[in-house]
Amino acid sequence: MSDTPNVVTGDFETPTVEPPEEQAGSSPTGATRREMRSIWVAGTEETAWMRNSTDEGAQEMLEASVDPAIQAERGIPVEDDFLETEATDNDELQILNMGPQHPSTHGVLRLHLELDGETIVRVKPIIGYLHTGMEKTGETLTFLQGGTNVTRMDYLSPLHMELAYSLAVESLLGIEIPERAQAIRVLMTELNRVSSHLIWVATQGADIGAVSMLIYGWREREYVLQFFEKVTGLRMNHNFIRPGGVAADLPDGWEDDVENLLDVVPKGVSEYEELLNENPIFRDRTIGVGVITPDECKALGVTGANARASGIEWDLRKAFPYSGIDKYEFDVPLGKHGDVFDRYLVRMEEIRQSLRIVRQVLETIPAGDYRTTDRKVTPPPRKRIDESMEALIHHFKLFTSGFKVPAGETYQAVESPRGELGIYLVSDGRERPWRLHARTPSFAHVQALPTMMTGSLVADTIATIASIDPVLGDVDR
Amino acid sequence: MTDGITSDQILGPLAAAFPDVEFRQVNDPPQDVALVAHGQYRDFVAAAREAGFDFFVDLCGVDYLRRQPRFEVVLNLLSHVHVRRLRIRVGVPGSEPTIASITGIFPGADFYEREAYDLFGIGFDGHPDLTRIVLPDDWEGHPLRKDYSVGSVPVRFKGSPRAQ
Amino acid sequence: MAHESAPSGFLLTTYEKAVNWTRTRSMWAATFGLACCAIEMMATGAAHNDLARFGMEVFRASPRQADLMIVAGRVSQKMGPVLRQVYDQMAEPKWVISMGACASSGGMFNNYAIIQGVDEVVPVDIYVPGCPPGPQSLLHGILTLQDKVMAGEIRR
């Protein structure tokens, strides 16, 4: 644009002043400055930045028929070097490191992203930042203490971890669990599923941008945690479900607390659905994002709500029922597309179905023992210790050296909120496990991340990571 | 060949194709275990996948220390169609702990084999990227081996004579 | 700014007090949640136990914008250097709360994988015991830190 004037002219009629010649290295002498000042008119001096300005002059709207921007929008090819983009060659791929300290990676997950602009070409998850050596520690703890260790692996669903561990130990011991203990286990684990999914929807919403979901999700979870504290003594990492049954019976008044929960939580869930289901931003950011097909799920070992959202009809509670859960009626929600939005819908419905199970437990829980009466495995009641020498010796032996489990190997799995959670236990006949291996669902899901993320945008990675519900304690153990 | 396995509709053909594999049922309710020899491992896994066990569940290592072979790789498979699990155990010698990798059959075995390598030192032939996964890259030793100590430190109490 | 070599006197002591007061009233924490304690830390910031009423309005993801690092969870050997790097990136004045048993002393994991106490890596001001400490315990720890800073026991 060569005919652009480089002095801004206003409405007033003033002479334009040519700036004096600049001599290299010399500043104007006093005389020339006074000279300049005498013929200056305020407001017309040309400042240095104007002299070097790079703007294109007054911006005006071009005719719609010739405006290149509108033509580009309409798809008419425009000759403009600004709009042409060249294909980037491999030298221009950028490596971006996400994590391990990151607000949205759900813990200490590290991702190496290879980016072409904003598109992900390759992603490599790097884990191990929370490796606690729990499988090694498990070999040093007795079977009664083992619950304290496994409960901290998946710290959002500790009762499921304890249940899987207890089922494995009981499978090797070959003991029967009383019906009331089984019902209490179902009650606690289904409520744990509710509290875990509440955290999931809180963090999923917050990662996508609905930051208020963080407050809402935790609000309902507090009621569940207060119930857990009343029953088990702890808000998290309870060590309540132990081999042989549960640690203690439900306290008086628990029915009222559960009724209250069944009243409050569905209202909260309806609020979340009202906030998110029809929200165009949420839908735009989640529909079609992070897709995984059923065949990929099977090959990679993706289980739980992620697999069900892809259409795989598989729930361990229906396929291999445990702890008497087949007595209760519940549905298993399925998705179709395998994207983030379907996982969200599946989990919301799972909260409702879990509450349905809780209501049935509340109505049909049998009276009875809360743990098996086999004295070789469970400690005697406290007041018996004062009365009977045998009870005292049992108690002493159980808590110091622990009970012996017959030699063998077993694998027991439960349906945790994240997927198939299994414990592979090898015993050599002594009081401590020979090998304790936890098959945790998040390990396989993090492995499936590259399948879900390649080809999508960086912003979609956040939505995808949140949607598979990884818990890094599960991944690294 | 184990008695009664031929009558099993799903495992029978598998047992017939691999007569050296020992099939067991452990625990109650019974769980199917197949004890496979080192050389037949990859073929057996591929055949199991064809037989319907196409869902990869778990792969882990075990160190039996004083048994020959010392290590064992335990593979857990699942069949949605038949609603059955199958556990495949294959021994790995301690003197040269390597075994075939099944990432070509089940891509999901990738991280699991890396973890078995990291914690036990079992090498997997044919794995695309066999590096440490849960421990730092420069870690020496394989912690879950039985001859590696748990690494506990003495607990320091303030004011005790042993406090350093 | 208040530091050891500042001369004492009535005006400067009041100034120090004012500075300490402002520091405690708006102490923003860096997100360093590692494991189970992180969930309880988030619960402390959530609705029932609101941290914002004590001035900790937000948890800053970038350590450069944070004053307080709450190490919530077990620190593994691989995470130790990362912890130190994040601590170094924080600007003075900065404080560290070691939340939970695992951060304070290694907790129940006395093994090869966990650093036995985060004070082997960063200097710690407050230790909050618990496994995990409930929101009330963590609040007590944060308020104790605020009291200590106000009283001038921790001079930065």
Side-chain angles (χ1 to χ4, degrees), chain A residues 93-160:
Chain A
L93 288 176
Q94 183 194 19
I95 307 242
L96 186 70
N97 177 54
M98 239 178 91
Q101 191 256 348
H102 192 280
S104 299
T105 50
H106 289 254
V108 286
L109 172 66
R110 181 172 172 202
L111 292 176
H112 265 185
L113 304 169
E114 203 173 301
L115 301 173
D116 174 14
E118 192 79 8
T119 318
I120 292 175
V121 171
R122 253 192 340 165
V123 62
K124 180 178 171 186
I126 299 172
I127 58 174
Y129 289 93
L130 200 58
H131 179 65
T132 318
M134 282 167 159
E135 298 187 348
K136 187 84 178 178
T137 303
E139 293 170 15
T140 63
L141 297 171
T142 65
F143 286 99
L144 191 56
Q145 295 169 325
T148 59
N149 184 30
V150 289
T151 193
R152 289 164 171 82
M153 284 188 193
D154 180 353
Y155 40 82
L156 287 184
S157 48
L159 290 159
H160 290 268

Coordinates of all heavy atoms in Angstrom, one line a residue, chain A residues 93-160:
Chain A
L93 N 7.6 -30.8 14.2 CA 6.7 -31.4 15.2 C 7.3 -31.0 16.6 O 8.5 -31.0 16.9 CB 6.7 -32.9 15.1 CG 6.0 -33.4 13.9 CD1 6.1 -34.9 13.9 CD2 4.5 -33.1 14.0
Q94 N 6.4 -30.6 17.5 CA 6.8 -30.1 18.8 C 6.5 -31.1 19.8 O 5.4 -31.8 19.8 CB 6.0 -28.8 19.1 CG 6.4 -28.2 20.4 CD 5.3 -27.1 20.8 OE1 4.2 -27.1 20.3 NE2 5.7 -26.3 21.7
I95 N 7.4 -31.3 20.8 CA 7.2 -32.2 21.9 C 6.8 -31.4 23.1 O 7.5 -30.5 23.5 CB 8.4 -33.0 22.2 CG1 9.0 -33.7 20.9 CG2 8.2 -34.0 23.3 CD1 9.0 -35.1 20.9
L96 N 5.6 -31.7 23.6 CA 5.1 -31.0 24.8 C 5.0 -32.0 25.9 O 4.5 -33.1 25.8 CB 3.8 -30.4 24.5 CG 3.2 -29.5 25.5 CD1 3.9 -28.2 25.6 CD2 1.7 -29.2 25.2
N97 N 5.5 -31.6 27.1 CA 5.4 -32.4 28.3 C 4.3 -32.0 29.2 O 4.2 -30.8 29.6 CB 6.8 -32.3 29.0 CG 6.7 -33.2 30.3 OD1 6.5 -34.3 30.2 ND2 7.0 -32.5 31.4
M98 N 3.4 -32.9 29.5 CA 2.3 -32.5 30.4 C 2.5 -33.3 31.7 O 2.5 -34.5 31.6 CB 1.0 -33.0 29.7 CG 0.0 -31.9 29.5 SD -1.5 -32.6 28.7 CE -2.5 -33.0 30.1
G99 N 2.6 -32.6 32.8 CA 2.7 -33.3 34.0 C 4.2 -33.5 34.4 O 5.0 -32.9 33.8
P100 N 4.5 -34.3 35.5 CA 3.6 -34.9 36.4 C 2.8 -34.0 37.3 O 1.8 -34.4 37.8 CB 4.4 -35.9 37.2 CG 5.8 -35.3 37.1 CD 5.9 -34.6 35.8
Q101 N 3.3 -32.8 37.5 CA 2.5 -31.9 38.4 C 1.6 -31.1 37.4 O 2.1 -30.2 36.8 CB 3.5 -31.0 39.2 CG 2.8 -30.2 40.3 CD 2.7 -28.8 39.9 OE1 3.2 -28.3 39.0 NE2 1.9 -28.1 40.7
H102 N 0.4 -31.4 37.4 CA -0.5 -30.7 36.5 C -1.9 -30.8 37.1 O -2.3 -31.8 37.7 CB -0.5 -31.5 35.2 CG -1.2 -30.9 34.1 ND1 -2.5 -30.8 33.9 CD2 -0.6 -30.2 33.0 CE1 -2.8 -30.1 32.8 NE2 -1.7 -29.8 32.2
P103 N -2.7 -29.7 37.0 CA -4.0 -29.8 37.7 C -5.0 -30.7 37.1 O -5.9 -31.1 37.7 CB -4.5 -28.3 37.6 CG -3.8 -27.8 36.4 CD -2.4 -28.4 36.4
S104 N -4.8 -31.1 35.8 CA -5.8 -31.9 35.2 C -5.4 -33.3 34.8 O -6.1 -34.0 34.1 CB -6.2 -31.2 33.8 OG -6.7 -30.0 34.1
T105 N -4.3 -33.8 35.3 CA -4.0 -35.1 34.9 C -4.4 -36.1 36.0 O -4.0 -37.3 36.0 CB -2.5 -35.3 34.7 OG1 -1.8 -34.8 35.8 CG2 -2.0 -34.7 33.5
H106 N -5.3 -35.7 36.9 CA -5.8 -36.6 37.9 C -4.8 -37.4 38.7 O -4.9 -38.6 38.9 CB -6.7 -37.7 37.2 CG -8.0 -37.0 36.7 ND1 -9.2 -37.2 37.3 CD2 -8.2 -36.1 35.7 CE1 -10.1 -36.5 36.7 NE2 -9.5 -35.8 35.7
G107 N -3.8 -36.6 39.1 CA -2.7 -37.3 39.8 C -1.4 -37.1 39.1 O -1.3 -36.2 38.2
V108 N -0.5 -37.9 39.4 CA 0.9 -37.7 38.8 C 1.1 -38.5 37.5 O 1.9 -39.4 37.5 CB 2.0 -37.9 39.8 CG1 2.0 -36.8 40.8 CG2 1.7 -39.2 40.6
L109 N 0.3 -38.2 36.5 CA 0.5 -38.8 35.2 C 1.3 -37.9 34.3 O 1.0 -36.7 34.3 CB -0.9 -39.1 34.6 CG -1.0 -39.6 33.2 CD1 -0.4 -41.0 33.1 CD2 -2.4 -39.7 32.7
R110 N 2.2 -38.4 33.6 CA 3.0 -37.6 32.7 C 2.7 -38.0 31.3 O 2.7 -39.2 31.0 CB 4.5 -37.7 33.1 CG 5.4 -36.9 32.3 CD 6.8 -37.0 32.8 NE 7.7 -36.3 31.9 CZ 9.0 -36.6 31.9 NH1 9.5 -37.5 32.7 NH2 9.8 -36.0 31.1
L111 N 2.5 -37.1 30.4 CA 2.2 -37.4 29.0 C 3.3 -36.7 28.2 O 3.4 -35.5 28.3 CB 0.8 -37.0 28.6 CG -0.3 -37.7 29.2 CD1 -1.6 -37.0 28.7 CD2 -0.4 -39.1 28.8
H112 N 3.9 -37.4 27.2 CA 4.7 -36.8 26.2 C 3.8 -36.6 25.0 O 3.4 -37.6 24.4 CB 5.9 -37.7 25.9 CG 7.1 -37.3 26.6 ND1 8.3 -37.9 26.4 CD2 7.3 -36.4 27.6 CE1 9.2 -37.4 27.2 NE2 8.6 -36.5 28.0
L113 N 3.6 -35.4 24.6 CA 2.7 -35.2 23.4 C 3.6 -34.7 22.3 O 4.4 -33.8 22.4 CB 1.7 -34.2 23.7 CG 0.7 -34.4 24.9 CD1 -0.1 -33.1 25.1 CD2 -0.2 -35.5 24.6
E114 N 3.4 -35.4 21.1 CA 4.1 -34.9 19.9 C 3.1 -34.2 19.1 O 2.1 -34.8 18.7 CB 4.7 -36.1 19.2 CG 5.8 -35.7 18.2 CD 6.5 -36.9 17.6 OE1 7.0 -37.7 18.4 OE2 6.5 -37.0 16.4
L115 N 3.3 -32.9 18.9 CA 2.2 -32.1 18.3 C 2.5 -31.6 17.0 O 3.7 -31.2 16.7 CB 1.9 -30.9 19.2 CG 1.5 -31.1 20.7 CD1 1.4 -29.9 21.4 CD2 0.1 -31.8 20.7
D116 N 1.6 -31.5 16.1 CA 1.7 -30.8 14.8 C 0.7 -29.7 14.9 O -0.5 -29.8 14.7 CB 1.3 -31.8 13.7 CG 1.3 -31.1 12.4 OD1 1.8 -29.9 12.3 OD2 0.7 -31.7 11.4
G117 N 1.2 -28.5 15.4 CA 0.3 -27.4 15.7 C -0.5 -27.7 16.9 O 0.1 -27.9 18.0
E118 N -1.8 -27.9 16.8 CA -2.6 -28.3 17.9 C -3.0 -29.7 17.9 O -3.7 -30.2 18.8 CB -3.8 -27.3 17.9 CG -4.7 -27.3 19.2 CD -4.1 -26.4 20.3 OE1 -3.1 -25.7 20.1 OE2 -4.7 -26.5 21.4
T119 N -2.7 -30.4 16.8 CA -3.1 -31.8 16.7 C -2.1 -32.8 17.2 O -0.9 -32.6 17.1 CB -3.3 -32.1 15.2 OG1 -3.9 -31.1 14.6 CG2 -4.1 -33.4 15.0
I120 N -2.5 -33.8 17.9 CA -1.6 -34.7 18.5 C -1.3 -35.8 17.5 O -2.1 -36.4 16.9 CB -2.3 -35.4 19.7 CG1 -2.5 -34.3 20.8 CG2 -1.5 -36.5 20.2 CD1 -3.2 -34.8 21.9
V121 N 0.0 -36.0 17.3 CA 0.5 -37.0 16.4 C 0.8 -38.3 17.1 O 0.5 -39.4 16.7 CB 1.7 -36.5 15.6 CG1 2.4 -37.6 14.8 CG2 1.4 -35.3 14.7
R122 N 1.4 -38.1 18.3 CA 1.8 -39.3 19.1 C 1.7 -38.9 20.5 O 1.9 -37.8 20.9 CB 3.2 -39.7 18.8 CG 3.4 -40.9 18.0 CD 4.7 -41.5 18.0 NE 5.8 -40.7 18.3 CZ 7.1 -41.2 18.5 NH1 7.2 -42.5 18.5 NH2 8.1 -40.4 18.8
V123 N 1.3 -39.8 21.4 CA 1.3 -39.6 22.8 C 1.9 -40.8 23.5 O 1.6 -41.9 23.2 CB -0.1 -39.3 23.3 CG1 -1.1 -40.4 23.1 CG2 -0.2 -38.8 24.7
K124 N 2.7 -40.5 24.5 CA 3.3 -41.6 25.3 C 3.1 -41.3 26.8 O 3.6 -40.3 27.3 CB 4.8 -41.6 25.0 CG 5.5 -42.7 25.8 CD 7.0 -42.7 25.4 CE 7.7 -43.7 26.4 NZ 9.1 -43.7 26.2
P125 N 2.3 -42.1 27.4 CA 2.1 -41.9 28.9 C 3.3 -42.4 29.6 O 3.8 -43.5 29.3 CB 0.9 -42.7 29.2 CG 0.4 -43.3 28.0 CD 1.5 -43.2 26.9
I126 N 3.8 -41.7 30.6 CA 4.9 -42.1 31.5 C 4.3 -42.2 32.9 O 3.9 -41.2 33.4 CB 6.0 -41.1 31.4 CG1 6.5 -41.1 29.9 CG2 7.2 -41.5 32.3 CD1 7.6 -40.0 29.7
I127 N 4.4 -43.3 33.5 CA 3.8 -43.5 34.8 C 4.9 -43.9 35.8 O 6.1 -43.9 35.4 CB 2.7 -44.6 34.8 CG1 3.3 -45.9 34.3 CG2 1.6 -44.1 33.9 CD1 2.3 -47.0 34.4
G128 N 4.6 -44.1 37.0 CA 5.6 -44.5 38.0 C 5.8 -43.5 39.0 O 6.6 -43.7 39.9
Y129 N 5.2 -42.3 38.9 CA 5.5 -41.2 39.8 C 4.8 -41.5 41.2 O 5.0 -40.7 42.1 CB 5.1 -39.9 39.2 CG 6.0 -39.5 38.1 CD1 5.7 -39.8 36.8 CD2 7.2 -38.9 38.4 CE1 6.6 -39.5 35.8 CE2 8.1 -38.5 37.4 CZ 7.8 -38.8 36.1 OH 8.7 -38.5 35.1
L130 N 3.9 -42.5 41.2 CA 3.3 -42.8 42.5 C 3.6 -44.2 42.9 O 2.9 -44.8 43.7 CB 1.8 -42.5 42.4 CG 1.0 -42.3 43.8 CD1 1.6 -41.2 44.5 CD2 -0.4 -42.1 43.5
H131 N 4.6 -44.8 42.4 CA 4.9 -46.2 42.7 C 5.2 -46.4 44.1 O 6.2 -45.8 44.6 CB 6.0 -46.7 41.8 CG 6.4 -48.2 42.1 ND1 5.5 -49.2 41.8 CD2 7.5 -48.7 42.6 CE1 6.1 -50.3 42.1 NE2 7.3 -50.1 42.6
T132 N 4.4 -47.2 44.8 CA 4.6 -47.3 46.3 C 5.1 -48.6 46.7 O 5.3 -48.8 47.9 CB 3.2 -47.0 46.9 OG1 2.5 -46.0 46.2 CG2 3.3 -46.7 48.4
G133 N 5.3 -49.5 45.8 CA 5.8 -50.8 46.2 C 4.8 -51.6 47.0 O 5.2 -52.3 48.0
M134 N 3.5 -51.4 46.7 CA 2.5 -52.0 47.6 C 2.5 -53.5 47.4 O 2.1 -54.3 48.4 CB 1.1 -51.5 47.2 CG 0.9 -50.1 47.8 SD -0.5 -49.4 47.0 CE -1.0 -48.2 48.2
E135 N 2.9 -54.0 46.2 CA 2.9 -55.5 46.1 C 4.0 -56.1 46.9 O 3.8 -57.2 47.5 CB 3.0 -55.8 44.6 CG 1.8 -55.3 43.8 CD 1.8 -55.7 42.4 OE1 2.8 -56.3 41.9 OE2 0.7 -55.5 41.8
K136 N 5.1 -55.4 47.1 CA 6.2 -55.9 47.9 C 5.8 -55.7 49.4 O 6.0 -56.6 50.2 CB 7.4 -55.1 47.6 CG 8.7 -55.6 48.3 CD 9.3 -56.7 47.5 CE 10.6 -57.2 48.2 NZ 11.2 -58.3 47.4
T137 N 5.2 -54.6 49.7 CA 4.8 -54.4 51.1 C 3.7 -55.5 51.5 O 3.7 -56.0 52.6 CB 4.2 -53.0 51.3 OG1 5.2 -52.1 50.9 CG2 3.8 -52.8 52.8
G138 N 2.9 -55.8 50.5 CA 1.9 -56.8 50.8 C 2.4 -58.2 51.2 O 1.8 -58.9 52.0
E139 N 3.7 -58.5 50.7 CA 4.3 -59.7 51.1 C 4.8 -59.7 52.5 O 5.1 -60.7 53.1 CB 5.4 -60.1 50.2 CG 5.0 -60.3 48.7 CD 6.1 -60.4 47.8 OE1 7.3 -60.6 48.2 OE2 5.9 -60.3 46.6
T140 N 4.9 -58.5 53.1 CA 5.4 -58.4 54.5 C 4.3 -58.3 55.5 O 4.6 -58.3 56.7 CB 6.4 -57.2 54.7 OG1 5.6 -56.1 54.4 CG2 7.5 -57.3 53.7
L141 N 3.1 -58.2 55.1 CA 2.0 -58.0 56.0 C 1.2 -59.3 56.1 O 1.0 -60.0 55.1 CB 1.1 -56.8 55.5 CG 1.7 -55.5 55.5 CD1 0.8 -54.5 54.8 CD2 2.0 -55.0 56.9
T142 N 0.6 -59.5 57.3 CA -0.3 -60.7 57.4 C -1.6 -60.5 56.6 O -1.9 -59.4 56.1 CB -0.7 -60.9 58.8 OG1 -1.5 -59.9 59.3 CG2 0.6 -61.0 59.7
F143 N -2.3 -61.6 56.5 CA -3.5 -61.5 55.7 C -4.6 -60.5 56.3 O -5.4 -59.9 55.6 CB -4.2 -62.8 55.5 CG -3.4 -63.7 54.5 CD1 -2.5 -64.6 54.9 CD2 -3.6 -63.5 53.1 CE1 -1.8 -65.4 54.0 CE2 -2.9 -64.3 52.2 CZ -2.0 -65.2 52.6
L144 N -4.5 -60.4 57.6 CA -5.4 -59.5 58.3 C -5.0 -58.0 58.1 O -5.8 -57.1 57.9 CB -5.5 -59.8 59.8 CG -6.6 -59.1 60.6 CD1 -7.9 -59.5 60.0 CD2 -6.5 -59.6 62.0
Q145 N -3.7 -57.8 58.0 CA -3.2 -56.5 57.8 C -3.2 -56.1 56.3 O -3.1 -54.9 56.0 CB -1.7 -56.3 58.3 CG -1.5 -56.5 59.7 CD -0.1 -56.7 60.1 OE1 0.7 -57.2 59.3 NE2 0.3 -56.1 61.2
G146 N -3.4 -57.1 55.5 CA -3.3 -56.8 54.0 C -4.3 -55.8 53.6 O -4.1 -55.0 52.6
G147 N -5.5 -55.8 54.2 CA -6.5 -54.8 53.8 C -6.1 -53.4 53.9 O -6.4 -52.5 53.1
T148 N -5.2 -53.1 54.9 CA -4.8 -51.7 55.1 C -3.9 -51.3 53.9 O -3.8 -50.1 53.6 CB -4.0 -51.5 56.4 OG1 -2.8 -52.4 56.3 CG2 -4.8 -51.9 57.6
N149 N -3.2 -52.3 53.3 CA -2.3 -52.0 52.2 C -3.1 -51.8 50.9 O -2.9 -50.8 50.2 CB -1.3 -53.1 52.1 CG -0.3 -52.9 51.1 OD1 0.1 -51.7 50.8 ND2 0.2 -53.9 50.5
V150 N -3.9 -52.8 50.6 CA -4.6 -52.7 49.3 C -5.6 -51.6 49.2 O -5.9 -51.1 48.2 CB -5.3 -54.0 48.9 CG1 -4.3 -55.1 48.6 CG2 -6.2 -54.5 50.0
T151 N -6.1 -51.2 50.4 CA -7.2 -50.2 50.4 C -6.6 -48.8 49.8 O -7.4 -48.0 49.4 CB -7.8 -50.0 51.8 OG1 -9.0 -49.3 51.7 CG2 -6.8 -49.4 52.7
R152 N -5.3 -48.7 49.9 CA -4.7 -47.4 49.4 C -4.3 -47.4 48.0 O -3.7 -46.5 47.5 CB -3.6 -47.0 50.4 CG -4.1 -46.6 51.7 CD -3.0 -46.5 52.8 NE -3.6 -45.9 54.0 CZ -4.3 -46.5 54.9 NH1 -4.6 -47.8 54.8 NH2 -4.8 -45.9 56.0
M153 N -4.5 -48.5 47.3 CA -4.2 -48.6 45.9 C -5.1 -47.7 45.1 O -4.7 -46.7 44.5 CB -4.2 -50.0 45.4 CG -3.1 -50.9 45.8 SD -3.2 -52.5 45.0 CE -2.0 -53.4 45.9
D154 N -6.4 -48.1 45.1 CA -7.4 -47.3 44.4 C -8.1 -46.5 45.5 O -9.0 -47.0 46.1 CB -8.4 -48.1 43.7 CG -9.4 -47.3 43.0 OD1 -9.5 -46.1 43.2 OD2 -10.2 -47.9 42.2
Y155 N -7.6 -45.3 45.8 CA -8.1 -44.6 47.0 C -9.4 -44.0 46.8 O -10.0 -43.5 47.8 CB -7.0 -43.6 47.5 CG -6.4 -42.8 46.4 CD1 -7.0 -41.7 45.8 CD2 -5.1 -43.2 45.9 CE1 -6.4 -41.0 44.8 CE2 -4.5 -42.5 44.9 CZ -5.2 -41.4 44.3 OH -4.6 -40.7 43.3
L156 N -10.0 -44.0 45.6 CA -11.3 -43.5 45.5 C -12.4 -44.6 45.7 O -13.5 -44.3 45.9 CB -11.5 -42.8 44.1 CG -10.8 -41.5 44.0 CD1 -11.1 -40.9 42.6 CD2 -11.2 -40.6 45.0
S157 N -12.0 -45.8 45.5 CA -12.9 -46.9 45.8 C -12.2 -47.9 46.7 O -12.0 -49.1 46.3 CB -13.4 -47.6 44.6 OG -12.4 -47.9 43.7
P158 N -11.9 -47.5 47.9 CA -11.1 -48.4 48.8 C -11.8 -49.7 49.2 O -11.2 -50.7 49.4 CB -10.8 -47.5 50.0 CG -11.7 -46.4 50.0 CD -12.1 -46.2 48.6
L159 N -13.2 -49.5 49.3 CA -13.9 -50.7 49.8 C -13.9 -51.8 48.7 O -14.0 -53.0 49.0 CB -15.4 -50.3 50.1 CG -15.4 -49.5 51.4 CD1 -16.7 -48.7 51.5 CD2 -15.3 -50.4 52.6
H160 N -13.9 -51.4 47.4 CA -13.8 -52.4 46.4 C -12.5 -53.2 46.4 O -12.4 -54.4 46.2 CB -14.0 -51.8 45.0 CG -15.4 -51.3 44.8 ND1 -16.3 -52.0 44.2 CD2 -15.9 -50.1 45.1 CE1 -17.5 -51.3 44.1 NE2 -17.3 -50.2 44.6

